[in-house]
Amino acid sequence: SSDLRRETMSRIHEALKKAEQERATSENIPQIAPDPDPAVLDARVYAEAPGHSAVASAAPAVPMTGDALLSRTRQTNWRPDAKTMLFFTGEEHVYGMEEFRTLRSRLYQAREKHPLSKVLVTSPLPKEGKSFVTANLGQALVQQQGKRVLLVDADLRNPHLHLTLGAEAGPGLSEYLRSENDEFSVIQRGPMENLFLIPAGTNNENPAELVASGRMNTLLNRLQPLFDWIIVDSPPAAAVSDAALLANYCDGVLMVVRSNSTPFDIAQRARQEFGDNLIGVVLNGISTLPEYSQYYYNAYAKPNGHGQGVKRSS
């Protein structure tokens, strides 16, 4: 009968499989293990100490500790611009700080509604302050105890974030995207605890093709478990297609527009590029503060209401 034939073939298959296993054991032929879960393997790689290879197993993934991350990234000597890098000054009430603390709060409120850890910062046109916003937002985020932030300069056409922070230009993102460096060798850290940077790098040829490659998405996904926030500085949205591509790899988009400068129609066109992925608009370069903000800075930013003034940044 057909049932008898199936049972017979099953027994023959089992016997052949057993004989092959015994032969492999006797000849010391290594057994091929099934492919591990990539997510588990990635997390285990990050948890490994330098110089050790990852071993795939069914053990749960272990998040990388702060000490392990520090040991695998480069300490560099940043020279931030004190006029625009607000939180490096050591002062508590520099003009503009409260606005970035408010922006930080808005991001946490948005995070309560949907997953949000990879944020793209862009602008409709150049010179509207997106790198300024990226850098100071990162500084504001790490003011909270234990929060770890990575800034990524993905503007391969006109990189500026490393200049703003006074950091080294490379190796950076372009070297990683060209498979010349791994992710840890392009991450640098400066004097502010828990603030990390991937600069744009050097020799940024064919930037659109580099950004569109699968390695950009891979990089962000591999690093996401290691940081509370990843803030990506992108090229202007109305000028080139890079920002729209990068937005696909992020959880949300912040668009920076400059007061009395950005044309309304261009801002509206850039906004349409991102649809529901746009989580907010930052108005930069306001020449005068609202009355309540002026009261705050006059009352609290100067000792006893008089004396040392505050710095203004745009």
Side-chain angles (χ1 to χ4, degrees), residues 39-55:
V40 173
L41 180 58
D42 282 352
R44 288 182 63 82
V45 169
Y46 297 146
E48 291 284 344
H52 293 269
S53 60
V55 179

Side-chain angles (χ1 to χ4, degrees), residues 74 152-154 156 162 168-188 197-204 210 215 219:
R74 295 184 303 119
V152 181
D153 192 347
L156 303 184
H162 71 284
E168 295 180 5
L173 181 61
S174 59
E175 282 81 5
Y176 173 83
L177 296 179
R178 293 196 301 264
S179 301
E180 297 172 3
N181 289 73
D182 66 16
E183 57 266 41
F184 291 109
S185 65
V186 299
I187 299 176
Q188 56 179 280
L197 168 70
I198 297 181
T202 57
N203 300 322
N204 303 323
L210 286 177
R215 281 182 66 80
L219 174 68

Side-chain angles (χ1 to χ4, degrees), residues 154 156 177 206-214 216-217 242 245-246 249:
L156 303 184
L177 296 179
N206 302 317
E209 285 72 19
L210 286 177
V211 168
S213 72
M216 184 68 203
N217 193 32
D242 302 27
L245 289 171
L246 290 164
Y249 310 143

Side-chain angles (χ1 to χ4, degrees), residues 144-159:
Q144 295 183 314
Q145 184 69 27
K147 299 302 181 183
R148 196 184 297 162
V149 177
L150 173 66
L151 306 179
V152 181
D153 192 347
D155 189 348
L156 303 184
R157 300 171 187 271
N158 185 28

Side-chain angles (χ1 to χ4, degrees), residues 11-306:
R11 289 178 179 177
I12 293 173
H13 175 74
E14 291 296 328
L16 290 173
K17 183 177 178 181
K18 183 177 180 181
E20 179 65 21
Q21 290 173 343
E22 291 175 352
R23 184 183 70 83
T25 301
S26 64
E27 297 179 9
N28 293 321
I29 299 176
Q31 298 295 301
I32 299 176
D35 291 337
D37 181 347
V40 173
L41 180 58
D42 282 352
R44 288 182 63 82
V45 169
Y46 297 146
E48 291 284 344
H52 293 269
S53 60
V55 179
S57 74
V62 180
M64 186 181 237
T65 64
D67 290 341
L69 180 60
L70 292 178
S71 70
R72 301 195 64 179
T73 56
R74 295 184 303 119
Q75 174 76 55
T76 58
N77 185 23
W78 294 3
R79 294 181 175 86
D81 183 354
K83 294 180 180 179
T84 58
M85 297 295 93
L86 308 180
F87 294 85
F88 279 103
T89 64
E91 300 179 32
E92 288 295 322
H93 302 294
V94 173
Y95 180 96
M97 275 186 171
E98 282 306 305
E99 283 71 22
F100 280 102
R101 293 186 180 112
T102 299
L103 179 58
R104 177 183 66 193
S105 298
R106 296 290 184 268
L107 288 179
Y108 275 101
Q109 290 170 1
R111 180 183 266 188
E112 293 176 358
K113 299 177 181 178
H114 61 84
L116 182 65
S117 62
K118 297 176 293 184
V119 178
L120 183 76
V121 179
T122 188
S123 60
L125 297 171
K127 298 182 180 180
E128 298 192 89
K130 60 182 181 59
S131 297
F132 165 76
V133 170
T134 298
N136 280 289
L137 176 58
Q139 295 165 52
L141 288 167
V142 297
Q143 299 304 306
Q144 295 183 314
Q145 184 69 27
K147 299 302 181 183
R148 196 184 297 162
V149 177
L150 173 66
L151 306 179
V152 181
D153 192 347
D155 189 348
L156 303 184
R157 300 171 187 271
N158 185 28
H160 194 74
L161 194 55
H162 71 284
L163 297 174
T164 301
L165 292 166
E168 295 180 5
L173 181 61
S174 59
E175 282 81 5
Y176 173 83
L177 296 179
R178 293 196 301 264
S179 301
E180 297 172 3
N181 289 73
D182 66 16
E183 57 266 41
F184 291 109
S185 65
V186 299
I187 299 176
Q188 56 179 280
R189 47 193 167 85
M192 186 170 287
E193 185 179 5
N194 287 329
L195 184 63
F196 297 79
L197 168 70
I198 297 181
T202 57
N203 300 322
N204 303 323
E205 299 178 358
N206 302 317
E209 285 72 19
L210 286 177
V211 168
S213 72
R215 281 182 66 80
M216 184 68 203
N217 193 32
T218 298
L219 174 68
L220 296 178
N221 286 336
R222 286 173 68 89
L223 293 179
Q224 182 177 3
L226 308 183
F227 295 93
D228 296 282
W229 294 93
I230 298 178
I231 312 297
V232 181
D233 186 12
S234 87
V240 291
S241 62
D242 302 27
L245 289 171
L246 290 164
N248 294 326
Y249 310 143
C250 296
D251 305 318
V253 177
L254 279 177
M255 189 166 69
V256 180
V257 296
R258 193 165 190 85
S259 177
N260 297 318
S261 175
T262 308
F264 176 78
D265 59 330
I266 295 180
Q268 189 175 45
R269 192 187 320 153
R271 183 257 177 273
Q272 292 171 351
E273 287 283 341
F274 306 110
D276 293 338
N277 210 21
L278 185 71
I279 56 177
V281 176
V282 177
L283 183 61
N284 187 37
I286 300 175
S287 57
T288 58
L289 285 173
E291 184 176 351
Y292 66 87
S293 293
Q294 292 178 356
Y295 172 79
Y296 169 82
Y297 283 109
N298 289 333
Y300 297 100
K302 304 176 185 179
N304 299 320
H306 63 278

